[in-house]
């Protein structure tokens, strides 16, 4: 099953990602890397499937240093290690940057790139959303960025979908989603497409969600969730009272979980966007749930 990207409008921030632009070749005499601006003259850099040169990295770094960049989105954009390091270092000291997308091949399998990212996260306290969708993170990479994430005062959205995470990563994330000290706690979390995670780890996450007071959107699609955890999540939604969006598409659940969510509707809950498609559910189960969901 192919990978899914983060849903549209991941965060209610003043500046949302600009439309993705594909750059397959550089035009002679023209600057290939383009930025978009909002009404306050803040900029966004969004590139997909484009190999960045050292000069182009320098141009982006200049914008970052000027504290004029709000969003940096690089999707499958190869670059040299040295260029990546100075780009990420600049991001650490940028006071305007609030969203970073380093998706697919940007981090590569070089563990040093994850270490440099962790260093940058430890410095940039304004960042509110980080996406590492489709990267080779794994449990070892998650451990490297954990300390920076656990003390970050502004981060409220994290996309770790298709990152090859295991149980140890989920254990760390269970602590990250809660408020603690100067940390706000996550509002948006995407853990879709991490099939190596076991039911035991997912059950720990369900318990963490039950006591959470900040999480508004949770994406767990294309994972081995199963009915036991699915039923736990149904109960968790009635306990946390803040979860609005829950995506359980293609998570190996059945009508048992669907019934649990139907029963849970009798308790107060903010949940109004539940995705159970792609599972072994009877049509009447889906009709019953979606018929009870508010518009």
């Amino acid at each position: 099953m192919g990978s899914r990207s983060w849903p549209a409008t991941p965060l209610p921030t003043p500046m949302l990602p600009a439309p993705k632009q594909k750059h397959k070749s550089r035009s002679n005499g023209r600057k290939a890397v383009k930025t978009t601006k909002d009404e306050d003259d803040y900029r966004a850099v969004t590139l997909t499937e484009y190999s960045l040169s050292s000069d182009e990295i320098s141009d982006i770094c200049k914008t970052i240093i000027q504290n004029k960049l709000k969003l940096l989105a690089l999707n499958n954009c190869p670059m040299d290690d040295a260029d990546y390091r100075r780009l990420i270092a600049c991001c650490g000291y940028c006071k305007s940057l609030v969203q970073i997308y380093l998706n697919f091949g940007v981090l590569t399998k070089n563990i040093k790139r994850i270490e440099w990212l962790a260093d940058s996260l430890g410095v940039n306290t304004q960042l509110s959303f980080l996406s590492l969708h489709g990267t080779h993170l794994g449990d070892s990479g998650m451990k490297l960025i954990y300390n920076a994430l656990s003390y970050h005062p502004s981060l409220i959205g994290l996309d770790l979908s298709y990152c090859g995470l295991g149980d140890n990563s989920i254990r760390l994330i269970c602590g990250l989603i809660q408020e603690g000290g100067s940390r706000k706690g996550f509002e948006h979390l995407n853990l879709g497409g991490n099939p190596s995670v076991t039911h035991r780890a997912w059950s720990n996450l369900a318990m963490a969600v039950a006591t959470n007071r900040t999480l508004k959107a949770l994406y767990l699609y294309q994972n081995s969730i199963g009915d036991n955890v699915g039923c736990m999540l149904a109960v968790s939604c009635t306990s946390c009272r803040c979860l609005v969006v829950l995506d359980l598409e293609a998570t190996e659940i059945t009508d048992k979980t669907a019934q649990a969510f139907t029963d849970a509707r009798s308790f107060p809950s903010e949940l109004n966007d539940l995705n159970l498609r792609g599972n072994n559910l009877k049509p009447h189960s889906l009709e019953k749930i979606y018929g009870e969901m508010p518009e």
Side-chain angles (χ1 to χ4, degrees):
M1 192 173 294
S3 67
R4 284 175 41 179
S5 60
W6 184 276
T9 315
L11 284 175
T13 53
M15 185 176 185
L16 297 175
K20 296 178 181 179
Q21 304 174 32
K22 289 191 176 183
H23 299 278
K24 294 186 177 180
S25 62
R26 300 185 181 91
S27 300
N28 293 331
R30 295 196 330 187
K31 187 176 179 181
V33 176
K34 297 181 180 180
T35 61
T36 58
K37 297 181 182 181
D38 66 4
E39 62 275 9
D40 297 320
D41 199 34
Y42 283 106
R43 295 169 172 81
V45 173
T46 308
L47 294 170
T48 298
E49 296 181 4
Y50 182 72
S51 181
L52 287 158
S53 68
S54 294
D55 289 342
E56 290 163 338
I57 292 293
S58 295
D59 288 341
I60 297 174
C61 287
K62 288 178 183 178
T63 303
I64 295 174
I65 292 171
Q66 293 170 356
N67 291 318
K68 282 295 185 180
L69 192 70
K70 269 193 173 182
L71 179 145
L72 176 65
L74 302 178
N75 302 289
N76 193 18
C77 294
M79 69 190 80
D80 292 340
D81 284 343
D83 289 332
Y84 170 86
R85 187 175 188 180
R86 63 193 178 100
L87 175 65
I88 291 301
C90 287
C91 290
Y93 292 97
C94 183
K95 296 181 180 179
S96 62
L97 189 60
V98 294
Q99 294 191 37
I100 296 179
Y101 295 72
L102 302 175
N103 297 335
F104 299 104
V106 178
L107 286 182
T108 70
K109 293 184 179 180
N110 186 350
I111 197 70
K112 284 293 184 181
R113 291 201 177 194
I114 301 175
E115 292 177 356
W116 297 331
L117 173 62
D119 291 340
S120 181
L121 292 173
V123 179
N124 185 326
T125 58
Q126 286 75 37
L127 193 69
S128 63
F129 178 76
L130 174 67
S131 174
L132 302 179
H133 171 87
T135 65
H136 301 283
L137 192 64
D139 285 347
S140 58
M142 181 65 206
K143 186 177 180 181
L144 286 174
I145 66 172
Y146 170 74
N147 285 336
L149 295 178
S150 62
Y151 292 103
H152 202 287
S154 303
L155 194 70
I156 58 174
L158 183 65
D159 183 351
L160 296 179
S161 54
Y162 304 100
C163 283
L165 302 182
D167 287 6
N168 288 336
S169 294
I170 302 303
R171 177 178 57 82
L172 296 176
I173 291 169
C174 286
L176 288 177
I177 65 174
Q178 309 289 3
E179 293 179 283
S182 61
R183 193 176 68 251
K184 292 182 178 180
F186 288 164
E187 293 183 8
H188 300 254
L189 179 62
N190 190 341
L191 298 173
N194 288 292
S196 296
V197 179
T198 67
H199 291 175
R200 181 175 181 179
W202 290 129
S203 65
N204 290 336
L205 180 68
M207 289 186 286
V209 170
T211 59
N212 186 272
R213 294 297 177 266
T214 62
L215 195 62
K216 297 178 180 179
L218 177 61
Y219 301 88
L220 299 176
Y221 53 79
Q222 295 180 15
N223 284 309
S224 299
I225 300 295
D227 281 327
N228 288 340
V229 179
C231 292
M232 290 178 66
L233 285 168
V235 175
S236 296
C237 290
T238 65
S239 300
C240 72
R241 302 285 182 89
C242 57
L243 196 65
V244 177
V245 179
L246 179 60
D247 191 338
L248 295 176
E249 180 178 347
T251 51
E252 302 175 4
I253 60 175
T254 68
D255 291 310
K256 181 178 179 180
T257 295
Q259 184 60 50
F261 276 102
T262 301
D263 295 341
R265 297 303 296 171
S266 61
F267 297 91
S269 172
E270 294 296 320
L271 187 67
N272 63 22
D273 189 349
L274 175 64
N275 184 4
L276 300 181
R277 293 178 172 83
N279 293 292
N280 186 23
L281 302 177
K282 295 178 181 178
H284 77 270
S285 295
L286 289 174
E287 291 172 2
K288 189 172 184 181
I289 289 178
Y290 294 131
E292 294 180 358
M293 287 288 177
E295 296 293 335

